């Protein structure tokens, strides 16, 4: 299985400040045939299902605010929220879809400082 | 607009079988080439992919659960179902059904952009 490890486990950031979450995969999730990284980001608010934010490591889903950006390739990835808003409080997960079993990171709990 | 809704018992006894159904409304489960998925989340923990099923019935399971899991589809009822045998307290979780993103159409390896609300299932005597 491809193990996904996020850091930190928990993060407190002031409103308007930048938040950065890291995700590391135990195996390369870059597919050279199409030059794509099979890495996604979700966030999950209490009592709700996860919401897909980013796919292909850096492509924002429709309707996701542009304060969310993501980067990385191979085994190391980063999600950045440029200016934290109150509604961004959530648990953030990365997921690899390079191969089955599909696997998720353990989650990063993002709070307001 | 497509919607997914999980249903089933919220309490299952240890060693028995957990059975859940995901009903799809607002569209036909067989009109698209998706691998529909089941994902679970134990209390206070992260997400675990259980398995996925193609509308024609082919399946793929997480090896960690494969010996106890079965996923089936009933296109006439526009639903797909999950069974986990011989449950233990470790199977206590919120269970989600989900649809892959459109760009993952036809692919087992997928991200999920449409989720049911989730159904909490407790394994307890």
């Amino acid at each position: 299985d491809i193990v996904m490890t996020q850091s930190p486990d928990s993060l407190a950031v002031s409103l308007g400040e930048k938040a950065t979450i890291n995700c590391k995969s135990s195996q390369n999730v870059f597919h050279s045939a199409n030059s794509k990284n099979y890495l996604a980001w979700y966030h999950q608010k209490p009592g709700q299902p996860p919401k897909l934010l980013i796919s292909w490591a850096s492509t924002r889903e429709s309707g996701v605010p542009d304060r969310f950006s993501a980067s990385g390739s191979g085994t190391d990835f980063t999600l950045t929220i440029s200016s934290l808003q109150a509604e961004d409080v959530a648990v953030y997960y990365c997921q690899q879809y390079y191969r089955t079993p599909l696997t998720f990171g353990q989650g990063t709990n993002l709070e307001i400082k | 607009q497509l919607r997914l809704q999980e249903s089933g018992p919220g309490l299952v006894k240890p060693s028995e079988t957990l059975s859940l159904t995901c009903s799809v409304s607002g569209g036909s489960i067989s009109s698209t080439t998706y691998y529909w998925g089941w994902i679970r989340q134990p209390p206070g923990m992260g997400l675990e992919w259980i398995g996925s099923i193609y509308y024609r019935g082919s399946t793929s399971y997480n090896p960690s659960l494969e010996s106890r899991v079965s996923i089936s589809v009933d296109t006439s009822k526009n639903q797909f179902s999950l069974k986990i045998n011989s449950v233990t307290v470790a199977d206590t979780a919120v269970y989600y059904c989900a649809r892959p993103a459109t760009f993952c159409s036809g692919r087992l390896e997928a991200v999920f952009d449409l989720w049911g609300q989730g159904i909490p299932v407790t394994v307890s005597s």
Side-chain angles (χ1 to χ4, degrees):
Chain A
D1 298 7
I2 299 177
V3 178
M4 309 300 291
T5 304
Q6 293 179 226
S7 61
D9 290 333
S10 184
L11 180 62
V13 174
S14 300
L15 288 172
E17 296 299 306
K18 184 168 74 173
T20 301
I21 298 169
N22 301 297
C23 174
K24 188 173 184 67
S25 58
S26 63
Q27 299 175 35
N28 185 10
V29 298
F30 176 77
H31 203 306
S32 56
N34 59 8
S35 297
K36 287 182 180 290
N37 287 282
Y38 284 63
L39 189 285
W41 290 95
Y42 300 80
H43 72 190
Q44 184 180 31
K45 299 181 181 181
Q48 296 184 20
K51 176 186 176 183
L52 180 63
L53 300 173
I54 303 277
S55 58
W56 306 120
S58 61
T59 302
R60 271 193 310 274
E61 293 300 295
S62 175
V64 174
D66 61 7
R67 63 180 180 273
F68 290 89
S69 64
S71 63
S73 185
T75 61
D76 292 280
F77 302 90
T78 300
L79 174 70
T80 300
I81 307 171
S82 60
S83 176
L84 189 71
Q85 305 300 302
E87 61 264 32
D88 301 333
V89 169
V91 179
Y92 288 77
Y93 295 96
C94 59
Q95 181 217 328
Q96 66 80 18
Y97 51 110
Y98 185 81
R99 68 163 59 101
T100 58
L102 307 176
T103 50
F104 296 83
Q106 81 276 17
T108 295
N109 187 29
L110 178 58
E111 300 175 327
I112 304 292
K113 185 187 290 184
Chain B
Q1 187 175 354
L2 202 71
R3 283 191 63 218
L4 281 64
Q5 180 69 56
E6 304 90 350
S7 61
L11 180 64
V12 182
K13 289 182 168 52
S15 80
E16 296 189 345
T17 297
L18 179 160
S19 296
L20 299 175
T21 295
C22 181
S23 297
V24 180
S25 60
S28 171
I29 199 171
S30 55
S31 67
T32 51
T33 56
Y34 292 129
Y35 278 87
W36 303 83
W38 284 100
I39 298 103
R40 71 179 183 179
Q41 185 171 37
M45 297 181 64
L47 301 160
E48 180 181 33
W49 174 73
I50 300 170
S52 296
I53 186 163
Y54 195 55
Y55 79 97
R56 289 184 175 176
S58 59
T59 55
S60 178
Y61 303 124
N62 193 320
S64 67
L65 294 164
E66 189 164 18
S67 63
R68 299 191 296 126
V69 169
S70 174
I71 299 175
S72 59
V73 63
D74 187 335
T75 54
S76 67
K77 294 182 179 178
N78 219 35
Q79 60 190 32
F80 59 105
S81 299
L82 170 70
K83 291 185 188 299
I84 303 180
N85 302 322
S86 306
V87 297
T88 70
V89 294
D91 295 307
T92 294
V94 176
Y95 286 78
Y96 296 99
C97 58
R99 185 206 69 182
T102 303
F103 60 80
C104 295
S105 179
R107 292 189 71 242
L108 177 57
E109 300 83 5
V111 298
F112 299 96
D113 70 349
L114 183 65
W115 298 63
Q117 273 301 111
I119 182 168
V121 178
T122 300
V123 178
S124 175
S125 54

